[in-house]
Amino acid sequence: MIDFDYTLTTVVLGGALVGLLSGVFGVYALLRKQSLLGDTISHAALPGIALVFLLLRVKHPLALTLGAMAAGWLGTMIMPAVVNRSRIKLDTIIAVVLAVFFGFGLALLSVIQKLPTANQAGLTKFLYGNASTMLRQDVHVMAAFTLISVCAVLLFWKEFKIATFDADYARSLGLPVRWLDMLLFSLIVVAITVGLQTVGVVLMSAMLVAPAAAARQWTNRMEIMALLSALFGMGASISGALLSSSITHLPTGPATVCIITLFFLISILFAPNRGLLWRWIRRRSHHGEITQARLLEELYWLEQNHEPGSHYHEIRSLQAVNRERIDRYLDTLTQQGWTERSGAGGIRLTSAGLKQVKTAHAEMEGKERL
Amino acid sequence: MIFDIILIACIVAAACSMPGVFLVLRRLSLQSDAISHSVLFGIVISFFLVKNFHSPLLMIGAAATGVLTVMLSELLLKTKLVKEDASIGLVFPALFSIGVILISKYAGDIHLDVDAVLTGEIALAPFDRFVVGGVDLGPRSAWSMGLIALINLLLLLGFFKELKLSTFDAGLAASLGFRPHLLHYGLMIMVSITAVGAFDSVGSILVVALMIAPAATAYLLTDSLALMILLSMGIGITSAAVGVLLAFSLDTSISGTMAVVCGMFFAIALFFSPRYGMISKWLIARDRKWIFACYTLCVHLLHHEGTPEEEEESHVRHLQDDLKWEPKYAQKVVASGIRNGLLLKTGNHLHLTPLGKETVRSLMNRG
């Protein structure tokens, strides 16, 4: 029973830290349109982990994380260097670095697996993540990195924000944008390598993209977005970790990714204002308003071009709306007192309706003058 | 046995290199990453339906998943709620995750383990023979991959003009009545089918290496599309063969080693390509500086030729005052001018050779 509690708290703590970090730093990756960077960094980290183990024969999480960080950082730095100095485009070098580093990592892992003395069992968990093998020691290392990264973000919040949204403005203020970018990327590398243990190399990129993309739908303020993203990340990675340690043969990474993708789907569907449902409702109501305005306009035109007075126009002759739906719109207009109907399929503007059309015209003219 | 493995690897590499060239040129390299991951979902789902790993239906189902990935990404993009990078990065991890979960939950039913998803099982491929009427015709995957390579080749030859035009000038292609969007999907189907076929032998991530790295290497070596395709095929096949041999002698993962060899060829081209390599680019940039200085000097000399100030202006020491050159720098420029036959130095005075005059005149006329 004690053992179970130990595992449980370790898993929950670890998951929370991973979710927090990837949530916060995913916001920057998303806003800079560099979401796929996470994919490269996490794949590139694998040879770092393998090399540290192969050379030093240690499995201490701090050493492995540092190895992963070094390799991930190297992979990140290769990309701009190649893009700036050759005809190779960014997407190509991302794919090449990702696949080649990862291939190297797999080759190294295959060497490690053949070592006679190695207790290599722990290393393959970096592929898909395995929360249930996490130790307190791992959590301590993760906590230390989280603390440092979060402090750095809080300290440079304003600077990172300006450099992300308007690098030219930041430069004109005299901020060292190059250094800020470098620091931010290093922090993203840290966030990714911390997450490798629970989510794994293959799927870590989703942990960077999905919470931030979900959070983006709920708000336009970066502070709230980062907070929400961290919450989503924590929620997904804690529940993913819990699920996978209670169900056998369920790798943590894929479980977490499925949950966070669900969060994202809910967000793009139901988030107020930006969400698809809201957009659909708004579009419908706009459509109704526009159709009503067009009907009034048509009636006004008929009024102008025929003899004035108590003349009813035939509903059948109206062209603004197709015939099946016209009754609904005319009912609304009549309810509002802008039109009145005769019994025999006729309709005309009331004086209130006339006033409504003229107000609309005046508004249009005012806008045109602007 | 090792010969069979090399054969399979080479066929896989050849098949991958054909769509790879267009992915690189169209800046869609990351679609190969997305598709090669998400076809796993298709493979697993189709397997549950047909219960046979060699059924062509499996291939069709998996290829459809590849297309589904592209369509879902485009659908997400169309909502304008996420940008392009995120739209790719959200779809394939989700599909891949579902695939991995299904495999690990139903490991008993599916002859595929989670590790093999990433690395493939090329070492086991030769044991699965293609036997017709009792005659052993070689490894089955060599045949299936050969078929895919053949399909790719036929499509490439059949639609070469269309692919070329829509890759380099999509607007013109559309205005001439080709359908760039249709071609785009055609290409994506090609990538998907190839990824499914290669999945078995090299795994999901190394498909990316075999598609993109040889094509990128070839891109550094040539400007001709046909040559680029041939080169990338050759480089892919060589990387595969060298990779397998190296893996056997070092006793490492075959697919991982193949990826590393691909990366090595890419790095060599990146540095040493005669025209687009970093080193030759650096050399050209360095030479350009001296050539420009030389031309400046020649123009200066021609300008004052035959004037009363010629005596003074053509003096070596004068370059420091007039062109504001450091003595050492001026010396180097003069030396390079003489070496290239543009200048003559008599005593301390500089004169243009006929070649020098000719060069300056053609320079001035160019503007």
Side-chain angles (χ1 to χ4, degrees):
Chain A
M1 219 38 215
I2 290 162
D3 192 37
F4 176 72
D5 278 341
Y6 173 86
T7 313
L8 194 70
T9 44
T10 311
V11 164
V12 169
L13 278 175
L17 293 172
V18 171
L20 175 71
L21 265 195
S22 51
V24 170
F25 288 99
V27 166
Y28 290 103
L30 188 87
L31 292 176
R32 287 169 172 247
K33 304 189 188 79
Q34 281 162 331
S35 304
L36 292 168
L37 203 70
D39 208 21
T40 325
I41 297 175
S42 58
H43 282 77
L46 188 63
I49 296 170
L51 216 52
V52 164
F53 180 76
L54 204 56
L55 296 178
L56 306 176
R57 301 289 162 89
V58 290
K59 250 173 42 179
H60 191 277
L62 184 62
L64 295 181
T65 310
L66 286 178
M69 240 175 248
W73 204 77
L74 180 70
T76 325
M77 291 302 128
I78 285 178
M79 291 185 291
V82 169
V83 170
N84 293 336
R85 286 181 186 76
S86 78
R87 70 190 319 214
I88 295 293
K89 309 292 183 294
L90 186 63
D91 66 296
T92 308
I93 192 67
I94 288 182
V96 170
V97 168
L98 179 154
V100 172
F101 270 62
F102 188 74
F104 185 45
L106 286 181
L108 289 176
L109 277 187
S110 67
V111 172
I112 291 172
Q113 267 155 5
K114 281 163 192 151
L115 290 179
T117 55
N119 52 342
Q120 75 277 52
L123 287 183
T124 45
K125 77 176 173 202
F126 283 106
L127 293 178
Y128 295 111
N130 192 344
S132 55
T133 60
M134 228 174 356
L135 303 172
R136 232 354 109 66
Q137 203 183 16
D138 299 317
V139 176
H140 290 159
V141 172
M142 287 156 113
F145 280 117
T146 309
L147 193 68
I148 296 169
S149 310
V150 170
C151 284
V153 163
L154 291 177
L155 202 60
F156 292 110
W157 177 261
K158 205 168 55 200
E159 285 79 2
F160 283 161
K161 193 173 169 182
I162 302 177
T164 298
F165 282 112
D166 196 340
D168 291 331
Y169 178 56
R171 246 174 246 121
S172 78
L173 290 177
L175 290 174
V177 175
R178 265 178 66 95
W179 287 106
L180 284 172
D181 282 354
M182 193 89 112
L183 178 63
L184 188 57
F185 279 121
S186 309
L187 290 172
I188 292 179
V189 172
V190 173
I192 288 172
T193 39
V194 166
L196 290 184
Q197 277 216 46
T198 63
V199 187
V201 167
V202 184
L203 292 165
M204 189 54 212
S205 72
M207 274 312 284
L208 213 58
V209 188
R216 174 69 190 90
Q217 313 310 327
W218 300 86
T219 175
N220 285 327
R221 289 188 56 85
M222 195 172 167
E223 290 80 6
I224 300 173
M225 183 181 165
L227 221 60
L228 271 178
S229 176
L231 276 178
F232 289 154
M234 282 159 77
S237 76
I238 292 175
S239 40
L242 284 179
L243 268 182
S244 90
S245 30
S246 52
I247 302 172
T248 45
H249 299 306
L250 184 66
T252 320
T256 309
V257 169
C258 285
I259 295 166
I260 192 64
T261 307
L262 202 65
F263 284 5
F264 169 74
L265 285 178
I266 292 171
S267 301
I268 59 165
L269 288 176
F270 303 117
N273 293 324
R274 272 174 74 99
L276 292 176
L277 185 69
W278 277 69
R279 189 191 288 177
W280 183 73
I281 292 170
R282 203 162 47 221
R283 209 168 266 174
R284 262 184 70 111
S285 81
H286 276 173
H287 185 78
E289 278 166 27
I290 288 168
T291 316
Q292 284 178 21
R294 280 175 61 193
L295 273 173
L296 285 178
E297 199 65 37
E298 194 174 356
L299 287 169
Y300 177 72
W301 186 86
L302 288 168
E303 198 94 336
Q304 299 292 306
N305 290 277
H306 291 80
E307 67 270 34
S310 60
H311 184 76
Y312 282 97
H313 309 289
E314 276 188 49
I315 288 176
R316 276 189 297 134
S317 68
L318 292 175
Q319 286 165 2
V321 194
N322 64 21
R323 211 151 298 155
E324 293 94 68
R325 289 184 301 159
I326 196 161
D327 271 331
R328 205 177 71 215
Y329 290 110
L330 291 180
D331 284 344
T332 329
L333 288 177
T334 311
Q335 269 164 28
Q336 275 169 308
W338 290 337
T339 54
E340 51 192 5
R341 303 177 72 158
S342 78
I347 188 149
R348 68 171 178 188
L349 282 179
T350 60
S351 52
L354 201 65
K355 214 168 136 196
Q356 173 70 18
V357 174
K358 292 215 163 122
T359 328
H361 284 183
E363 245 173 60
M364 286 286 281
E365 260 171 45
K367 269 183 195 157
E368 267 165 26
R369 216 166 286 144
L370 282 173
Chain B
M1 159 90 178
I2 183 167
F3 172 76
D4 279 345
I5 293 177
I6 292 178
L7 180 74
I8 296 167
C10 288
I11 296 174
V12 170
C16 284
S17 64
M18 286 180 265
V21 166
F22 290 98
L23 290 178
V24 166
L25 289 174
R26 289 167 167 246
R27 306 187 183 184
L28 294 172
S29 308
L30 291 167
Q31 291 287 8
S32 69
D33 187 33
I35 288 177
S36 70
H37 277 82
S38 58
V39 289
L40 177 71
F41 173 75
I43 291 174
V44 176
I45 295 291
S46 325
F47 178 78
F48 281 130
L49 296 177
V50 297
K51 301 275 180 200
N52 174 6
F53 259 116
H54 302 296
S55 161
L57 284 175
L58 192 77
M59 194 72 100
I60 294 169
T65 330
V67 177
L68 180 75
T69 317
V70 179
M71 284 169 75
L72 283 178
S73 299
E74 281 181 4
L75 197 68
L76 268 187
L77 194 61
K78 227 180 256 171
T79 64
K80 298 202 177 109
L81 294 176
V82 290
K83 300 284 188 300
E84 195 186 356
D85 57 324
S87 75
I88 298 176
L90 282 161
V91 174
F92 79 83
L95 291 175
F96 187 73
S97 300
I98 300 174
V100 172
I101 290 176
L102 288 176
I103 291 179
S104 14
K105 287 309 287 179
Y106 302 97
D109 298 333
I110 303 181
H111 175 65
L112 236 187
D113 73 301
V114 172
D115 287 344
V117 168
L118 295 176
T119 58
E121 288 177 323
I122 198 167
L124 301 179
F127 296 116
D128 186 8
R129 312 300 291 188
F130 186 46
V131 183
V132 178
V135 185
D136 183 356
L137 293 173
R140 187 196 292 271
S141 47
W143 282 97
S144 60
M145 226 30 231
L147 185 67
I148 292 171
L150 189 69
I151 294 173
N152 282 354
L153 188 69
L154 289 177
L155 286 175
L156 197 63
L157 293 175
F159 295 99
F160 188 75
K161 183 180 68 210
E162 286 82 357
L163 277 170
K164 187 175 182 179
L165 186 63
S166 70
T167 299
F168 291 107
D169 196 337
L172 181 64
S175 73
L176 288 176
F178 297 109
R179 309 269 287 275
H181 209 69
L182 216 63
L183 276 170
H184 177 73
Y185 271 98
L187 185 62
M188 288 305 143
I189 293 175
M190 200 161 145
V191 173
S192 309
I193 293 176
T194 315
V196 182
F199 203 93
D200 257 5
S201 30
V202 293
S204 68
I205 286 145
L206 302 159
V207 174
V208 180
L210 284 178
M211 278 194 188
I212 306 303
T217 312
Y219 185 55
L220 286 166
L221 297 173
T222 176
D223 281 335
S224 139
L225 178 60
L227 202 59
M228 185 177 161
I229 295 171
L230 287 177
L231 267 175
S232 102
M233 225 186 270
I235 293 163
I237 290 172
T238 317
S239 314
V242 174
V244 174
L245 290 174
L246 207 61
F248 267 88
S249 60
L250 297 173
D251 198 14
T252 51
S253 141
I254 295 174
S255 49
T257 315
M258 275 176 4
V260 173
V261 175
C262 286
M264 269 156 40
F265 277 119
F266 174 75
I268 291 172
L270 185 66
F271 286 110
F272 301 108
S273 160
R275 199 184 314 168
Y276 296 111
M278 284 187 181
I279 289 176
S280 72
K281 265 194 160 179
W282 178 75
L283 284 177
I284 290 168
R286 198 196 58 176
D287 286 351
R288 199 170 281 151
K289 181 176 121 187
W290 293 110
I291 291 169
F292 182 73
C294 243
Y295 285 165
T296 312
L297 178 56
C298 291
V299 171
H300 171 75
L301 290 175
L302 188 73
H303 184 62
H304 294 292
E305 206 178 62
T307 61
E309 304 91 39
E310 190 186 354
E311 176 72 18
E312 192 197 332
E313 293 286 342
S314 67
H315 198 279
V316 175
R317 229 182 15 241
H318 184 72
L319 302 179
Q320 292 160 42
D321 308 330
D322 200 32
L323 295 172
K324 305 276 185 287
W325 284 351
E326 296 282 318
K328 241 189 196 161
Y329 181 76
Q331 232 168 34
K332 273 191 181 169
V333 177
V334 169
S336 116
I338 293 171
R339 204 168 48 239
N340 291 315
L342 302 169
L343 302 173
L344 277 178
K345 192 172 164 192
T346 43
N348 276 326
H349 291 274
L350 298 169
H351 304 285
L352 285 173
T353 62
L355 175 69
K357 281 181 202 170
E358 189 51 40
T359 313
V360 175
R361 285 205 186 95
S362 72
L363 273 177
M364 309 289 266
N365 286 339
R366 210 187 284 166

